[in-house]
Amino acid sequence: MGYSERERAFIEWYPRGYGVGFKVKERLFETQTKYQRLELYETEGFGKMLVLDGTIQLVEIGEESYHEVLVHPVMLAHPNPKRVLIIGGGDGGTLREVLRHESVEKATMVEIDEMVVEVSRIYLGIDRGAFDDPRAELIIGDGVEYLKETEERFDVIIVDSTDPVGPAKLLFSEEFYRSAYEKLNEKGLYITQAGSVYLFTNELIDAYKAMKKVFDRVYYFSFPVIGYASPWSFLVGVKGDVDFRKVDVSRAPGELYYYDPERHETLFQMPRYVRKLLEGQ
Ligand code: AG3
């Protein structure tokens, strides 16, 4: 598991012996935080790489794909998103993309591990100043507790967590979806990453079923992300009469790298056998 000095490579091992790896130029940083093991590498071809508990969180080159798709489709499907909540997302990439929307008055990010934010700000910088934006509020704390207790209401809730196995498992429970639904304004949207389509299929199906019990409509899609066992899946839940298949292209931020609002319909990909499983046939 992890880094091999002999190969000068880092490999993340998934179930069934499937690996995703990168050649490493330099090991930059390594520490045990209060919550997890944090590693930072300089890869040969994809810039810096952030690893938490042996799982690759991002590689710098191409990170826009994941962050854009996690953020812009839900932001553009909402008529006027002003209040946004991000759970996790310590590297700041999700916050950065959220703040590109002029309608946003306040974006609250609740990250459990302060070290992830610190190390990302110092060594990665993919937040590109987002943490200093006056509309950004950073809360170091447990997202599950926060959502249960907060008096605030949100137009969009984005879960940028680690996998639906281990510490983040609670973020994929029916109970958590219920508190999210409760804290969404009418026409609100909720999005979560939901793991590898091929390797975490059961977790994806469980999360989808739990979301279906809570949200008024649930959508799924997947796409390849550099650094993850792709395709990677995403689930969207809505409150009230919202059609996630339609987006307001006129509000799209300029200069997108991966997500193509004018081709929004191309997002909805899922291998046929997984679609059948999701739809219970
Ligand atoms: N969010 C984590 C995606 C899950 C990666 N899982 C894995 N490699 N097994 C990424 C944080 C980016 N903001």
Side-chain angles (χ1 to χ4, degrees), residues 206-218:
D206 289 349
Y208 179 71
K209 279 192 194 147
M211 278 179 73
K212 287 269 276 193
K213 289 192 194 150
V214 174
F215 293 94
D216 298 318
R217 278 181 220 153
V218 182

Side-chain angles (χ1 to χ4, degrees), residues 87-122:
I87 294 181
D91 52 76
T94 298
L95 181 65
R96 176 194 77 209
E97 293 301 320
V98 165
L99 292 171
R100 291 177 73 182
H101 292 263
E102 277 163 23
S103 62
V104 173
E105 291 169 359
K106 191 173 167 199
T108 303
M109 181 177 131
V110 184
E111 163 63 55
I112 199 162
D113 196 340
E114 191 167 20
M115 272 299 266
V116 177
V117 178
E118 296 275 298
V119 170
S120 300
R121 286 183 84 162
I122 297 168

Side-chain angles (χ1 to χ4, degrees), residues 12 14 55-57 66-67 91 160-161 163 193 228 232:
E12 174 183 347
Y14 281 82
T55 65
I56 297 173
Q57 299 300 301
Y66 173 91
H67 292 123
D91 52 76
D160 184 11
S161 68
D163 291 350
Q193 70 94 353
Y228 305 166
W232 206 254

